[in-house]
């Protein structure tokens, strides 16, 4: 069972690589403590589910399902979030650019839409660019509580974390400034790979 535990993935760049958009202290705390917390929670939830399986007692399934969704979504979304940003300057191209133009009209429209979704997510949440395989199209999804609100079946391609821990040390309540800064460090190459 241990081989199925989730490890905390390393950042694909140094802790200070995204400055000034995202400062070193924020990135360090966000990755080493917040993301680690989701990984720990996910693994301990899986351990509890394993015990329930062995005991044949699924009386706690509602509680365990919520924990699995909360920590599992948190882990996956943070993993995509780190990969959604880069200190290199990248631009959408190829098949990803074609899909963006087909489903949004232009890259600027997509940026406006995902920026608005991230900027207006209530309290804590995410702006997400995702691939929806049933209709073979790209969609922007606003996530308010990642354990509750999800477009089932979508494949996350690029995500912006707008929980306060993602920006508060540097931006305080100016979430819009943080979202705007993130727009300039998006990693379109890794997004294209996932697409
Ligand atoms: Mn976060």
């Amino acid at each position: 069972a241990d081989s199925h535990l989730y490890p905390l993935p390393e950042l694909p760049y140094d802790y200070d690589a995204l400055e000034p958009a995202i400062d070193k202290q924020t990135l360090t705390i966000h990755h080493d403590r917040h993301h680690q917390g989701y990984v720990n929670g996910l693994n301990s939830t899986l351990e509890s589910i394993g015990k329930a399986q062995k005991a044949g007692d699924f009386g706690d399934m509602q509680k365990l399902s919520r924990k699995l969704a909360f920590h599992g979504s948190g882990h996956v979304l943070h993993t995509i979030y780190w990969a959604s940003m880069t200190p290199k300057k990248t631009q959408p191209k190829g098949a990803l650019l074609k899909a963006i133009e087909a489903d949004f009209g232009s890259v600027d429209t997509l940026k406006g839409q995902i920026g608005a979704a991230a900027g207006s997510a209530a309290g804590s949440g995410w702006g997400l660019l995702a691939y929806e395989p049933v209709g073979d199209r790209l969609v922007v999804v606003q996530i308010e509580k990642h354990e509750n609100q999800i477009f089932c079946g979508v494949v996350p391609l690029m995500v912006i974390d707008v929980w306060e821990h993602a920006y508060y040390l540097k931006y305080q309540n100016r979430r819009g400034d943080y979202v705007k800064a993130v727009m300039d460090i998006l990693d379109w190459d890794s997004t294209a790979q996932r697409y």
Side-chain angles (χ1 to χ4, degrees), residues 2-192:
D2 277 0
S3 62
H4 283 158
L5 288 184
Y6 288 83
L8 176 68
E10 282 188 22
L11 284 179
Y13 32 72
D14 292 335
Y15 287 101
D16 60 357
L18 300 180
E19 289 196 352
I22 300 180
D23 59 288
K24 181 180 180 180
Q25 191 185 16
T26 297
L27 205 58
T28 304
I29 294 172
H30 197 172
H31 177 267
D32 292 6
R33 299 191 206 168
H34 289 275
H35 192 172
Q36 181 74 64
Y38 284 109
V39 169
N40 295 347
L42 178 55
N43 288 330
S44 74
T45 302
L46 289 171
E47 202 181 318
S48 300
I49 291 172
K51 279 183 194 156
Q53 289 168 337
K54 276 204 187 100
D57 176 1
F58 295 109
D60 280 338
M61 232 23 240
Q62 186 181 44
K63 196 178 89 187
L64 290 172
S65 297
R66 283 186 182 148
K67 281 185 156 186
L68 184 68
F70 179 74
H71 294 296
S73 296
H75 172 51
V76 169
L77 288 168
H78 280 93
T79 302
I80 305 287
Y81 173 61
W82 310 132
S84 295
M85 301 181 290
T86 176
K88 295 177 217 146
K89 291 283 169 206
T90 63
Q91 295 296 331
K93 51 183 189 265
L96 176 63
L97 179 60
K98 270 195 188 138
I100 290 170
E101 286 171 347
D103 294 328
F104 297 92
S106 72
V107 175
D108 281 346
T109 303
L110 164 60
K111 282 184 172 181
Q113 190 175 335
I114 195 170
S120 64
S124 55
W126 306 78
L128 173 70
L129 171 67
Y131 174 69
E132 192 289 290
V134 175
D136 184 25
R137 63 173 296 130
L138 298 175
V139 288
V140 163
V141 179
Q142 181 185 63
I143 301 173
E144 282 192 359
K145 285 178 148 191
H146 64 223
E147 70 274 35
N148 288 357
Q149 212 182 22
I150 189 70
F151 188 158
C152 288
V154 301
V155 179
L157 299 177
M158 187 175 83
V159 75
I160 302 170
D161 190 349
V162 290
W163 284 48
E164 285 184 348
H165 64 236
Y167 61 88
Y168 209 83
L169 288 177
K170 181 179 165 85
Y171 294 93
Q172 294 85 49
N173 61 331
R174 292 173 287 114
R175 188 201 290 184
D177 291 350
Y178 155 75
V179 170
K180 211 171 149 210
V182 168
M183 289 296 158
D184 292 329
I185 55 168
L186 293 173
D187 191 339
W188 295 101
D189 292 345
S190 82
T191 301

